[in-house]
Amino acid sequence: IAPNEEFSLLKLLSPFDETNGYIKEMVIQDGVFKADYGGGLCQLSTTVFRAIIDAGLPVTERTNHSYWLHYYSPPGTDATIFEPKPDLKFINDTGQYILLNAQVNTDLDLTIDLWGAKDGTIVTKTEPVVYNVIYPGNNFIYTKALAPGVKNCTVYSYNGADVYFDYKVIYKDGTIKENRFSSHYIPHKGLCYVGY
């Protein structure tokens, strides 16, 4: 990534189709879970976002998921991508080239490293603050198709919430840049079938 270049994760990864090696996996589109090309790439975008933050690079575009997904903990530190929008973008403001390196080990753990010259930048961030939590619960449908008392939940509920964390970059020359990353998660009721 060249000095002053704006990096776009969508530009790097697209097009999201089978000719580019993608298969259909679960995505959230317009608040609905469905199978589509590019599903699962949000694990990559979330990991890249966290690496960008740790490196002190300025984020120019980032969108959180619609739902508070527990596997992207802590909340407020996730980033979603989907073609044509939203994207994850940042600027290389280091004055030097940066190498973005992605590795997946045999346990399928993803690691993102950003390699560049040390420039004396200091990065601090707060823990995420969660507020306005909404617990939507579940909708229940009673059925004779299940044995009495047996419960089968087919759609998970997701709590709604607002989350923010503060981020400060102190440059070698003493310049300070501060930013607040805010996220809004919408509540989603689950669906459970209960035998009677």
Side-chain angles (χ1 to χ4, degrees):
I1 304 167
N4 301 314
E5 178 182 345
E6 183 177 51
F7 173 87
S8 162
L9 193 57
L10 277 184
K11 184 178 176 183
L12 177 71
L13 299 173
S14 61
F16 296 164
D17 58 32
E18 59 188 330
T19 63
N20 204 20
Y22 293 105
I23 60 173
K24 289 189 175 183
E25 291 291 340
M26 294 308 292
V27 301
I28 305 170
Q29 188 174 18
D30 299 322
V32 177
F33 287 90
K34 67 176 198 171
D36 202 351
Y37 293 108
L41 284 176
C42 291
Q43 182 64 60
L44 175 64
S45 58
T46 294
T47 307
V48 170
F49 174 62
R50 293 172 180 177
I52 296 166
I53 293 297
D54 288 344
L57 298 166
V59 177
T60 54
E61 186 176 338
R62 172 260 174 184
T63 304
N64 62 276
H65 287 80
S66 301
Y67 301 128
W68 180 355
L69 304 172
H70 71 285
Y71 44 86
Y72 291 130
S73 289
T77 63
D78 59 307
T80 184
I81 58 171
F82 197 78
E83 201 171 31
K85 287 278 185 185
D87 197 352
L88 176 65
K89 295 180 179 180
F90 69 92
I91 293 176
N92 173 9
D93 68 347
T94 66
Q96 305 289 328
Y97 276 84
I98 294 175
L99 173 67
L100 189 150
N101 185 39
Q103 294 181 347
V104 178
N105 67 18
T106 56
D107 294 327
L108 300 182
D109 295 321
L110 172 65
T111 302
I112 299 292
D113 292 312
L114 291 167
W115 294 84
K118 286 193 178 231
D119 59 2
T121 299
I122 299 170
V123 178
T124 62
K125 61 186 176 196
T126 63
E127 292 297 318
V129 175
V130 180
Y131 62 103
N132 292 337
V133 178
I134 298 171
Y135 303 96
N138 294 308
N139 288 321
F140 294 97
I141 297 177
Y142 294 90
T143 177
K144 290 187 177 184
L146 294 173
V150 172
K151 183 168 72 171
N152 181 16
C153 296
T154 58
V155 176
Y156 295 107
S157 68
Y158 296 98
N159 296 336
D162 291 300
V163 183
Y164 72 85
F165 71 92
D166 292 323
Y167 172 64
K168 184 185 336 184
V169 180
I170 305 171
Y171 295 91
K172 187 176 182 178
D173 67 1
T175 303
I176 298 175
K177 290 186 181 176
E178 296 180 275
N179 194 7
R180 173 169 283 184
F181 288 96
S182 298
S183 301
H184 175 72
Y185 301 104
I186 59 175
H188 185 269
K189 277 188 172 278
L191 176 63
C192 296
Y193 295 89
V194 180
Y196 71 95

